[in-house]
């Protein structure tokens, strides 16, 4: 009880001091084919050497090509770090910042999904602070120093990393996954070019889109939301319900991809101010332990958590259900909330996301529950706080029948 009171007091203080922080959003370049406009923007900033942080798949797919050509035309020298892994690690950052420092780079471009952008943010921290001891920066407002010029170029529509003040890093030695949250991590510029999403596979379209939905829903339910974050969450939910499944079915539709990029950006802006919650706390622990794909993880967990919250969230979920157009005008709030949760399950089923994790083992429940509890409390202003035992019960619900029997 005392810790719960402390947590709520901590969250109240964070909410009421947040307006004092610098929430300057990135300069957004947003149009079809606008990746070619990044190089002139860097020239305007007098930047002549950049490090591009990405992954092997992005390079092989040729997604960098247009940007590299435009950088060359502007006489901007570039270096590429392509070793980023899903759930980026401190080792990735150590390798990337070595290139940054040795080549005297002036800016970092995170090009790819959330992993690449988070790795780029971590590289910026390492360059600014001259250290790769990231435990120093866990939690909130520990970075403080200005980073090198940072650009985010998302190639998925879901993480919202281009609009957030957070980076999620996995310790290479301990496998601990933790968030670093500081306004210094807000990118200076973001390039939202829907052409970069046209080759996104169906599974990644589904995973990233459901990640955006989880961001919007958790931000909307949290006790630290504001009028602006509520509006952003509502807009994101509407866009996701109108465009995610159609873009899953037809990935070459540029308008659908554009709308999903907008949804991801809006959801990112919402949760960077209003936070995520127990869904992401559980997902981060799972991702660190088993290296499972983050978007798939939050998609599976989300309806279980919403059901567990019960009456505490019926009113807000009912409103989101109305926005998603999955409710009836005569439905009670409880029925509307139930229909909204069912619609999330339906999306997961239609996009072959699944309902459980075969990786989960009974012997890991204590470790996972402790990690989720540590991340969520006291930071996340969730509608219902979970104990370690609560988290353990939630993880059990995510286990396959075979794992439970074993």
């Amino acid at each position: 009880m005392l810790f719960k009171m402390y947590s709520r007091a901590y969250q109240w203080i964070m909410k009421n001091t947040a307006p004092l922080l610098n929430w300057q959003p990135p300069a957004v370049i947003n149009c079809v084919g606008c990746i070619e406009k990044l190089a002139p923007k860097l020239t305007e900033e007098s930047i002549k050497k950049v490090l591009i942080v990405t992954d092997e798949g992005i390079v092989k797919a040729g997604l960098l090509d247009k940007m590299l050509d435009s950088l060359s035309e502007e006489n901007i020298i570039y270096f590429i770090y392509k070793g980023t892994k899903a759930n980026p690690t401190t080792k990735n950052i150590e390798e990337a910042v070595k290139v940054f420092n040795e080549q005297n780079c002036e800016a970092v471009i995170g090009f790819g999904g959330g992993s690449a952008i988070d790795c780029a943010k971590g590289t910026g921290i390492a360059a600014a602070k001259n250290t790769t001891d990231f435990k120093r920066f866990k939690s909130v407002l520990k970075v403080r120093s200005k980073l090198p010029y940072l650009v985010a170029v998302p190639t998925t529509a879901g993480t919202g990393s281009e609009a957030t003040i957070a980076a999620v890093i996995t310790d290479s030695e301990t496998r601990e996954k933790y968030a670093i949250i500081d306004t210094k991590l807000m990118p200076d510029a973001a390039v939202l070019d829907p052409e970069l999403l046209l080759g996104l596979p169906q599974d990644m379209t589904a995973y990233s889109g459901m990640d955006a939905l989880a961001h919007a829903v958790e931000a909307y339910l949290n006790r630290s939301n504001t009028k602006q974050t509520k509006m952003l969450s509502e807009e994101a939910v509407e866009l996701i319900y109108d465009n995610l499944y159609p873009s899953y079915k037809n990935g070459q539709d540029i308008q659908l991809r554009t709308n999903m990029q907008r949804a991801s950006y809006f959801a990112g802006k919402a949760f960077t101010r209003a936070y995520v919650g127990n869904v992401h706390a559980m997902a981060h622990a799972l991702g660190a332990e088993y290296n499972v794909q983050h978007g798939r993880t939050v998609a599976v967990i989300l309806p279980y958590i919403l059901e567990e919250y019960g009456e505490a969230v019926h009113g807000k979920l009912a409103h989101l259900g109305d926005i998603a157009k999955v409710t009836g005008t005569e439905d009670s709030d409880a029925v509307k909330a139930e229909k909204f949760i069912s619609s999330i399950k339906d999306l997961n089923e239609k996009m072959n996301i699944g309902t459980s994790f075969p990786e989960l083992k009974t012997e890991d429940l204590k470790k996972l529950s402790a990690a989720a509890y540590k991340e969520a409390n006291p930071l996340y202003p969730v509608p219902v706080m979970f104990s370690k035992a609560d988290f353990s019960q939630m993880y059990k619900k995510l286990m396959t029948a075979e794992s439970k029997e074993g």
Side-chain angles (χ1 to χ4, degrees):
M1 179 59 72
L2 286 176
F3 185 73
K4 183 176 180 179
M5 292 173 61
Y6 162 75
S7 296
R8 292 306 192 194
Y10 178 93
Q11 293 157 16
W12 184 89
I13 292 169
M14 293 298 292
K15 178 179 180 178
N16 285 278
T17 57
L20 304 176
L21 301 176
N22 179 14
W23 296 95
Q24 182 66 36
V28 177
I29 304 172
N30 181 17
C31 64
V32 177
C34 62
I35 189 60
E36 296 177 343
K37 296 183 179 182
L38 175 58
K41 171 66 175 174
L42 294 174
T43 297
E44 288 178 11
E45 301 291 336
S46 301
I47 291 169
K48 289 298 181 183
K49 278 189 179 183
V50 300
L51 172 67
I52 302 164
V53 176
T54 187
D55 61 62
E56 188 74 43
I58 294 289
V59 176
K60 287 182 178 179
L63 292 180
L64 289 175
D65 293 351
K66 284 187 177 180
M67 183 180 75
L68 299 183
D69 289 344
S70 63
L71 290 173
S72 296
E73 289 175 7
E74 290 285 331
N75 295 315
I76 296 174
I77 300 171
Y78 59 82
F79 303 89
I80 301 173
Y81 173 74
K82 59 181 181 179
T84 307
K85 305 297 182 185
N87 302 311
T89 66
T90 50
K91 182 181 178 183
N92 291 151
I93 294 168
E94 289 170 6
E95 294 169 348
V97 78
K98 183 179 179 182
V99 178
F100 183 93
N101 289 331
E102 288 179 348
Q103 303 300 334
N104 297 310
C105 294
E106 302 162 293
V108 184
I109 301 173
F111 194 112
S115 294
I117 296 172
D118 280 0
C119 189
K121 290 180 178 181
T123 302
I125 296 172
K129 306 296 285 191
N130 194 30
T131 183
T132 54
D133 179 14
F134 280 88
K135 293 184 181 67
R136 293 171 47 190
F137 310 118
K138 285 195 296 185
S139 192
V140 183
L141 301 178
K142 301 285 184 68
V143 179
R144 302 189 182 109
S145 301
K146 180 174 174 54
L147 273 56
Y149 194 84
L150 177 64
V151 181
V153 184
T155 59
T156 64
T159 69
S161 298
E162 69 277 5
T164 74
I165 61 169
V168 180
I169 308 297
T170 300
D171 190 293
S172 298
E173 295 182 2
T174 66
R175 290 193 299 177
E176 179 186 4
K177 191 172 185 177
Y178 50 81
I180 300 172
I181 302 170
D182 196 297
T183 53
K184 301 298 184 182
L185 300 188
M186 182 72 76
D188 296 289
V191 180
L192 305 182
D193 184 348
E195 282 191 347
L196 298 175
L197 276 65
L198 293 181
L200 194 64
Q202 276 195 322
D203 59 348
M204 288 306 300
T205 298
Y207 299 159
S208 56
M210 292 304 290
D211 191 19
L213 180 62
H215 291 154
V217 172
E218 289 208 283
Y220 192 75
L221 297 180
N222 279 348
R223 295 164 60 136
S224 291
N225 56 24
T226 66
K227 183 177 180 180
Q228 183 189 36
T229 61
K230 288 178 184 177
M231 291 174 61
L232 289 165
S233 295
E234 291 168 352
E235 180 75 10
V237 168
E238 183 174 13
L239 284 166
I240 290 164
Y241 270 81
D242 287 345
N243 295 278
L244 175 54
Y245 187 64
S247 68
Y248 172 83
K249 297 295 288 184
N250 180 14
Q252 293 300 309
D253 188 309
I254 198 72
Q255 189 58 55
L256 294 174
R257 294 299 196 183
T258 298
N259 291 342
M260 282 305 300
Q261 271 195 329
R262 291 180 62 220
S264 175
Y265 182 71
F266 291 158
K269 287 189 71 175
F271 90 79
T272 203
R273 182 72 179 265
Y275 298 92
V276 287
N278 290 327
V279 174
H280 275 76
M282 291 182 65
H284 289 155
L286 274 172
E289 185 65 23
Y290 306 119
N291 200 32
V292 290
Q293 207 285 333
H294 174 73
R296 172 177 168 262
T297 309
V298 295
V300 173
I301 296 172
L302 179 59
Y304 287 98
I305 294 288
L306 298 183
E307 287 176 336
E308 187 69 18
Y309 284 162
E311 294 181 3
V313 296
H314 280 176
K316 288 184 177 180
L317 290 187
H319 185 58
L320 292 182
D322 290 341
I323 290 170
K325 298 183 278 291
V326 297
T327 58
T329 55
E330 302 302 319
D331 293 337
S332 66
D333 280 358
V335 171
K336 287 183 177 182
E338 182 180 337
K339 286 185 175 180
F340 181 65
I341 296 170
S342 292
S343 74
I344 296 172
K345 294 178 180 179
D346 290 343
L347 277 172
N348 284 343
E349 182 178 357
K350 288 194 296 184
M351 295 188 296
N352 299 306
I353 288 176
T355 59
S356 60
F357 299 98
E359 301 90 347
L360 260 173
K361 300 178 181 65
T362 302
E363 58 264 32
D364 294 333
L365 292 181
K366 184 176 181 180
K367 177 181 179 181
L368 292 169
S369 301
Y373 179 83
K374 183 178 180 181
E375 176 177 334
N377 304 303
L379 181 61
Y380 295 155
V382 292
V384 179
M385 289 180 63
F386 286 177
S387 66
K388 291 179 184 178
D390 293 329
F391 278 117
S392 183
Q393 287 300 314
M394 294 306 300
Y395 278 121
K396 286 180 182 177
K397 293 182 180 182
L398 301 171
M399 296 174 71
T400 60
E402 292 81 5
S403 297
K404 290 176 182 177
E405 291 172 3

